[in-house]
Structure formats: structure tokens, C-alpha cells
């Protein structure tokens, strides 16, 4: 059963279609390639590369951007193999420091999410792709927890992040999965897929019938030569006996995004 956690997601990314899908520039970083076998050393070097110095008081890496200071920490690390090379998908989470030096704490206050893809090249790691290192994501000044992140195969020699989030209001919970992946040398938002709805907070005891509609997102990319293959929504729980067991979620070449299909929207009661 999904946890009914409130997450408000705001994503401010440039349109993905401006960059060729397959083009990936690799720029050398200062991160030693030797760190890939020592997660602590890899995290430390990666955080310093992208966010600067470590602040002992705040217990995070602090960087001052053009418009705001960030307090960032390691969040989720996954290693995959692409084109025969070890490749690292790194997610870093934190928050924008308020003028008072703290963290915003409200339903609609997002955390900050940094996503980078790294690969050994000689004695250093090369930067394959990255987002702007400060995408708004989550709620209460935090990004969704580490266990809500997965790195999956999206297509041939191409992976991406699935980030779950849920929000509850007036007894109703809705949720889904945001997909992130590389378009050229940028990590971009590849769309939101609705996967969950329930009315657990406003049913029973004479309040009406309860319902739960939940699906999980799986990858079927191993059977495609495309860089972005279709995903599959598989039923986990559904109080509607006629709900389909699986629904295919296609990648739109026109929008360069995964789009919630009508069949899945109907199965969620939307």
C-alpha cells in the first residue's frame, strides 16, 4: 500500500526538444576515477565538484547561486553499464537557504534536486549530462525520500530516474511518477505518469464507499533499440474489478515525454 505523503512538485526546465536526443558531450570533471570503488569518496568529490564547500554547521554542501544559496546533501546513487562502460546516476537533494538562514517549511515549499550522470574517462570522471542542479521538487522544503527514487533502463544504453511523489488534500490522495533522463547533455523532465488515487480519508462510516487504484511503473526497454522505449504500468491494487492488469505507457516523440495514457487515467478514476 502506498504511503499517503504530501508532495508538491514544481519543475522549471527548458523545453527538451531543442537538443538532439542522442548527442551527449562529455566534459572532464575534477573527480578522480579512483573514487568509483569508494562510495564515500565518490560522494564527497561529487558534492564538492557541483556544490562547493562543506558547511560543518549546516551539515551540507553550500553554494551561492545567482539568486539563492543552496544547502545540498547526497541523496541517491546508482551504477549501471551503458555502451560497456560503468556509468553513475547521481541524485543530490537539499533546499534553498532562507534569508534567515534556515529552510522553508510549508506544503508548497519545494526542495532542490540536482541530477548528474558521470562516467570514467582516463583518470577522472566525465560529466555526461546534468540538470541545473537546483530543480524544485518535493514539499516541506525537502525532495521526496531516497526510497522514492529508482534508476531504470529507458532504452538501449540509456537509463533515467523514476521519482515517486504523492499529495493528499481533503481526504483524497493522488500520486505518480516523474521521469527524468538525458536529452543531449542535459537531464530533463521526461513527463509525469499518474499511478495512484484513493479516498481513504473521506470514506467509510457512512461517508461512502472507499476506493484505491494503484499501479507501479516497470520498464520493458530491454526489447527495444530506441533510446526511449515504452514503459508499463502494472496493477498493484484496484477496487474496480474491471481495471486492466497492465497498461503500456508510450514515449511521445513529438513531445519528447512519457504521457499518461487514457486507459491508465480511466483505471485511476480520473
Amino acid at each position: 500500500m502506498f504511503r499517503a505523503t504530501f508532495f508538491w512538485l514544481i519543475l522549471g526546465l527548458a523545453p527538451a526538444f531543442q537538443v538532439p536526443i542522442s548527442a551527449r558531450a562529455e566534459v572532464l570533471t575534477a573527480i578522480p576515477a579512483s573514487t568509483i570503488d569508494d562510495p564515500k569518496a565518490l560522494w564527497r568529490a561529487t558534492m564538492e565538484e557541483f556544490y562547493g564547500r562543506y558547511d560543518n554547521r549546516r551539515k551540507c554542501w553550500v553554494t551561492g547561486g545567482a539568486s539563492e544559496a543552496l544547502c545540498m546533501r547526497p541523496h541517491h546513487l546508482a551504477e549501471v553499464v551503458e555502451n560497456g562502460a560503468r556509468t553513475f546516476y547521481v541524485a543530490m537533494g537539499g533546499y534553498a537557504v532562507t534569508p534567515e538562514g534556515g529552510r522553508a517549511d510549508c506544503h508548497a515549499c519545494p526542495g532542490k534536486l540536482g541530477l548528474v550522470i558521470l562516467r570514467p574517462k582516463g583518470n577522472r570522471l566525465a560529466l555526461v549530462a546534468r540538470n541545473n542542479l537546483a530543480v524544485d521538487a518535493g514539499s516541506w522544503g525537502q525532495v521526496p525520500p531516497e526510497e522514492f527514487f529508482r534508476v531504470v533502463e529507458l532504452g538501449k544504453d540509456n537509463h533515467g530516474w523514476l521519482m515517486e511523489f504523492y499529495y493528499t488534500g481533503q481526504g483524497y490522495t493522488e500520486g505518480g511518477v516523474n521521469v527524468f533522463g538525458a536529452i543531449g547533455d542535459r537531464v530533463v523532465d521526461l513527463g509525469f505518469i499518474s499511478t495512484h488515487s484513493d479516498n481513504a480519508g473521506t470514506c467509510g462510516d457512512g461517508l461512502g464507499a472507499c476506493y484505491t487504484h494503484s499501479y507501479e511503473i516497470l520498464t520493458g526497454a530491454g526489447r527495444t533499440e530506441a533510446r526511449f522505449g515504452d514503459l508499463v504500468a502494472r496493477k498493484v491494487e484496484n477496487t474496480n474489478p474491471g481495471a486492466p492488469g497492465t497498461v503500456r505507457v508510450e514515449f511521445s516523440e513529438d513531445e519528447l515525454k512519457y504521457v499518461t495514457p487514457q486507459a491508465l487515467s480511466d483505471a485511476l478514476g480520473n
Side-chain angles (χ1 to χ4, degrees), residues 131-145:
N131 68 356
N132 69 5
L133 302 178
V135 166
D136 289 343
S139 183
W140 299 106
Q142 303 177 76
V143 299

Side-chain angles (χ1 to χ4, degrees), residues 41-105:
L42 176 58
W43 270 125
R44 184 169 55 251
T46 299
M47 296 303 297
E48 290 175 355
E49 174 76 18
F50 295 105
Y51 294 105
R53 66 180 179 85
Y54 182 76
D55 187 309
N56 285 301
R57 181 173 64 86
R58 290 193 174 100
K59 305 299 183 185
C60 60
W61 280 260
V62 175
T63 183
S67 59
E68 59 188 353
L70 302 175
C71 180
M72 303 294 290
R73 299 184 178 95
H75 200 64
H76 183 270
L77 175 65
E79 178 184 345
V80 300
V81 175
E82 292 179 352
N83 295 308
R86 296 174 70 180
T87 305
F88 297 85
Y89 280 68
V90 185
M92 298 160 283
Y95 59 89
V97 180
T98 65
E100 297 74 28
R103 171 174 60 86
D105 191 20

Side-chain angles (χ1 to χ4, degrees), residues 202-220:
T202 182
C203 68
D205 296 328
L207 297 177
C210 296
Y211 67 80
T212 299
H213 310 312
S214 288
Y215 283 76
E216 61 180 342
I217 299 299
L218 306 176
T219 177

